[in-house]
Amino acid sequence: MNHDGRWLRSDEEALWRAWLGVHARQHVVIARDLKASGLSEPDFEVLVHLTDAPDGKRRLSELAAGLQWERSRVSHQVTRMAKRRLVERHDVAEDARGARVVITREGRAAIEKAAPPHVARVREVFVDRLDAADRVDLARILRKLVP
């Protein structure tokens, strides 16, 4: 990391703070809505990745990669979700260290309940506030920020 003493100019600092403010406000709204539906944000993210798989299954390592989480974080999250019967964890016979995570009927019902109001809120606080050109521009900008 380069620590060459370059401080942010006032316009750069204002931009950074605006980004942090937007992210924080939207995060609070989304988290509150998901909690009201009975899911945490991590629950929802895991369930989304599982429902994206045609068979509702993912290897733990695939989940970690897709979520961009440490494997241990995914493992702990899956353990919490399994206690609530949202997912099941199965050992992979051909890999002693591997595990497969499977969405349950309860997990599918939970995401089917949470998804419509979640999508409506994402539209309200994000997508619908941007016109088509803004969305194209923002997508282009965000791609620059993802390494």
Side-chain angles (χ1 to χ4, degrees):
M1 180 177 272
N2 184 0
H3 297 285
D4 63 4
R6 287 184 28 186
W7 293 97
L8 297 177
R9 296 187 319 258
S10 61
D11 62 319
E12 294 168 334
E13 183 177 356
L15 176 62
W16 178 243
R17 288 182 183 221
W19 165 256
L20 292 175
V22 165
H23 180 265
R25 281 189 300 277
Q26 291 185 346
H27 182 262
V28 166
V29 169
I30 298 296
R32 182 185 62 224
D33 287 354
L34 285 174
K35 186 175 182 183
S37 76
L39 296 175
S40 67
E41 284 180 282
D43 291 340
F44 190 82
E45 290 183 53
V46 168
L47 293 174
V48 164
H49 276 76
L50 291 174
T51 58
D52 283 347
D55 59 0
K57 301 173 185 178
R58 295 260 192 219
R59 288 185 64 119
L60 196 65
S61 57
E62 290 174 330
L63 267 178
L67 292 163
Q68 297 183 27
W69 294 357
E70 294 292 327
R71 196 176 191 287
S72 63
R73 178 180 177 194
V74 177
S75 183
H76 290 299
Q77 180 64 34
V78 165
T79 298
R80 288 189 292 274
M81 293 174 72
K83 288 178 183 174
R84 293 171 33 230
R85 297 191 174 138
L86 298 172
V87 298
E88 293 177 347
R89 181 185 187 140
H90 301 281
D91 292 333
V92 176
E94 62 273 11
D95 179 1
R97 293 184 47 198
R100 185 168 286 114
V101 182
V102 182
I103 191 168
T104 62
R105 251 180 306 169
E106 293 90 340
R108 204 168 284 282
I111 196 165
E112 287 173 359
K113 175 185 169 195
H118 173 72
V119 170
R121 182 64 80 177
V122 169
R123 285 196 158 285
E124 176 189 337
V125 301
F126 185 73
V127 175
D128 291 346
R129 292 183 181 201
L130 305 170
D131 63 28
D134 291 337
R135 290 191 295 271
V136 169
D137 289 343
L138 184 56
R140 177 186 51 77
I141 291 165
L142 292 174
R143 281 191 300 274
K144 286 183 174 184
L145 299 176
V146 178

